[in-house]
Amino acid sequence: MIKLFIKYGIVIFLFNTILLSIKSTFALGNILFLFLMGLFLLILFINTRLIREVIFHKSFSFLLILNVINVLYFILFHSVDDIEALKYLFARGIQFSIISLSIYHNFEYLRTKFLDQIVSVVFFISILGVLVNPSIFSGRYSGIIWNPNMLASFTVIAFSILFLKKESYSNYDIFLMLFFFLISIATGSRGALVGIALAFLVRYGFAKRNLIYAVLTIGGILVISSINLDTSINRFAEQSLFNDRLLQYEYAWQTIKSKLFSGNGLDKYAYIDKSLVPIYLKGLIISSHNGYLAILTQYGLVFGGAVLLVIINKSIQVVSSFKDTSENERIYLFIVIYALFASIYETLITGINEFHTILFWFSLAFLSYSKYKMEYES
């Protein structure tokens, strides 16, 4: 039982975020999350060999460094009665441990079958959403997911897995890609267009084929934007990607400056100090909608800068190692690049229970371990 949990911990942890993204299953997802955290903490306590063998493994050292930064920050700026900060500290540490152990003990499964299972699960919840809420083009579509942008995150990643995984496609593959593309556009998420464009760039680079696709895409955008719908294309044509983000960036920066060196605390990810926001804007300014600003808000300039340095350094390493690969590593590379780009306009890479954020950390660790295997086991 323990071995199975260690091997498939990341699978359970990731798919549980889908339960947390559906209003009717949120309570169940929260209970399961707490159970997973407690069980895994117990496993680590009774199996110290796991810590020596895996947690301290060279390929996962960047996760260990981030955990050390969290512990040092907690010691300097929190006390033991800061329960929410303590929860974040433990949750992040356990999350990184789950990721490391699953990769180390189940690498081949995660390299091959796991990606297909992500596609299957996303297809299931998308079909269920269409059955429950078939009005796809009536406003911004969210299916059974609580937020249209969240649904777009699921479907864009599922589309990209299929698109990047194979050199040729069956009729069923084409159907699935068209379905995921349609749902992604129907959500009205402008970031969905960015994700799909990045998938093409990861696969083809700046080849002539991409230029042809670009011309066709521009033509399609001109046609669809002339129709009175609320799709991603219409919203992209009517507004810039950052149109409704600039005010949020401004008050995120004000929040950072208010505690420039100490930060606002480990539990204050996706945080904006509402006392700095005028009354007439309080309903509009919810969070920074920027992962990089969120990290600086959370940790302050020194610790936040250290966290960002670790992320950027490891990302550069894996991009340099796998930029020309045609294997499944290309899909995980896309997930990393997509998350880094999407973090400019969404609060990714800093939270605990968010689908794309967990996939980002998993993909970064997976590619790091894959790089290690190529260098030392070839």
Side-chain angles (χ1 to χ4, degrees):
M1 178 65 180
I2 290 177
K3 288 183 179 179
L4 281 175
F5 184 71
I6 288 172
K7 291 176 69 174
Y8 296 99
I10 184 58
V11 181
I12 303 169
F13 193 60
L14 179 70
F15 290 152
N16 187 56
T17 64
I18 297 178
L19 294 179
L20 291 166
S21 301
I22 303 171
K23 289 181 180 178
S24 59
T25 59
F26 176 82
L28 174 63
N30 197 44
I31 292 170
L32 183 57
F33 168 73
L34 294 174
F35 172 76
L36 289 173
M37 292 292 102
L39 179 60
F40 208 85
L41 186 61
L42 180 62
I43 290 172
L44 288 176
F45 271 127
I46 63 178
N47 291 273
T48 55
R49 181 183 60 83
L50 294 176
I51 297 176
R52 293 194 305 270
E53 185 179 0
V54 181
I55 308 301
F56 292 123
H57 192 282
K58 179 180 179 179
S59 56
F60 306 126
S61 60
F62 74 102
L63 298 178
L64 181 62
I65 291 170
L66 290 171
N67 279 329
V68 170
I69 290 173
N70 284 340
V71 171
L72 289 175
Y73 182 90
F74 184 88
I75 292 171
L76 290 173
F77 299 108
H78 287 289
S79 59
V80 290
D81 58 349
D82 288 336
I83 302 301
E84 293 304 315
L86 197 60
K87 284 181 182 177
Y88 181 92
L89 181 68
F90 275 103
R92 178 62 91 199
I94 294 171
Q95 180 192 67
F96 285 169
S97 299
I98 291 173
I99 289 171
S100 302
L101 286 164
S102 292
I103 292 170
Y104 186 84
H105 290 286
N106 212 5
F107 179 77
E108 282 305 316
Y109 158 80
L110 294 170
R111 186 177 179 274
T112 54
K113 297 180 182 178
F114 182 44
L115 294 166
D116 293 329
Q117 290 170 357
I118 291 175
V119 172
S120 298
V121 171
V122 173
F123 181 62
F124 174 76
I125 62 168
S126 300
I127 285 291
L128 189 59
V130 171
L131 293 175
V132 173
N133 180 14
S135 303
I136 295 178
F137 290 110
S138 178
R140 295 191 63 191
Y141 184 73
S142 61
I144 59 173
I145 305 300
W146 72 275
N147 181 280
N149 289 338
M150 181 64 69
L151 177 60
S153 178
F154 296 152
T155 54
V156 168
I157 287 173
F159 168 87
S160 301
I161 289 171
L162 287 167
F163 181 67
L164 295 170
K165 189 172 184 182
K166 299 178 181 179
E167 296 302 323
S168 60
Y169 310 108
S170 66
N171 290 335
Y172 182 62
D173 293 330
I174 294 170
F175 162 74
L176 285 178
M177 285 191 289
L178 288 173
F179 175 77
F180 289 135
F181 179 81
L182 180 67
I183 296 296
S184 299
I185 297 303
T187 63
S189 168
R190 289 160 289 173
L193 294 179
V194 174
I196 291 169
L198 285 172
F200 275 87
L201 286 174
V202 168
R203 175 155 186 159
Y204 297 119
F206 294 98
K208 290 181 181 178
R209 186 184 305 189
N210 257 8
L211 296 177
I212 295 171
Y213 284 137
V215 172
L216 293 174
T217 301
I218 291 169
I221 288 173
L222 291 174
V223 172
I224 296 175
S225 62
S226 66
I227 304 172
N228 186 26
L229 296 173
D230 201 18
T231 67
S232 301
I233 294 173
N234 294 88
R235 294 183 75 233
F236 203 100
E238 293 169 4
Q239 310 169 34
S240 75
L241 186 62
F242 306 105
N243 187 66
D244 54 353
R245 298 289 192 253
L246 297 180
L247 268 178
Q248 290 159 336
Y249 296 167
E250 178 183 340
Y251 288 103
W253 177 240
Q254 295 289 342
T255 301
I256 292 168
K257 287 196 299 183
S258 68
K259 294 186 178 180
L260 188 60
F261 294 103
S262 65
N264 289 272
L266 292 178
D267 54 317
K268 297 297 192 297
Y269 54 94
Y271 172 75
I272 283 182
D273 185 351
K274 292 297 181 67
S275 68
L276 301 173
V277 181
I279 294 175
Y280 68 94
L281 288 175
K282 285 188 185 290
L284 298 174
I285 308 300
I286 302 171
S287 70
S288 62
H289 277 286
N290 182 294
Y292 307 105
L293 292 177
I295 286 172
L296 294 176
T297 300
Q298 186 180 10
Y299 291 94
L301 192 61
V302 176
F303 281 86
V307 170
L308 291 175
L309 183 63
V310 172
I311 292 171
I312 293 168
N313 180 62
K314 179 54 66 173
S315 298
I316 290 173
Q317 285 181 21
V318 299
V319 169
S320 299
S321 297
F322 295 102
K323 64 180 185 299
D324 297 320
T325 185
S326 60
E327 304 295 329
N328 284 354
E329 280 79 4
R330 177 171 64 180
I331 300 170
Y332 290 121
L333 183 64
F334 161 78
I335 291 169
V336 169
I337 294 171
Y338 183 26
L340 291 172
F341 197 96
S343 292
I344 299 172
Y345 53 84
E346 294 290 354
T347 312
L348 296 180
I349 72 177
T350 183
I352 300 294
N353 270 319
E354 200 279 326
F355 181 80
H356 196 176
T357 294
I358 294 173
L359 264 183
F360 166 75
W361 289 115
F362 167 76
S363 299
L364 206 57
F366 179 90
L367 291 172
S368 180
Y369 186 65
S370 183
K371 178 175 178 289
Y372 172 86
K373 286 176 72 69
M374 286 192 309
E375 292 174 350
Y376 295 96
E377 297 181 13
S378 59

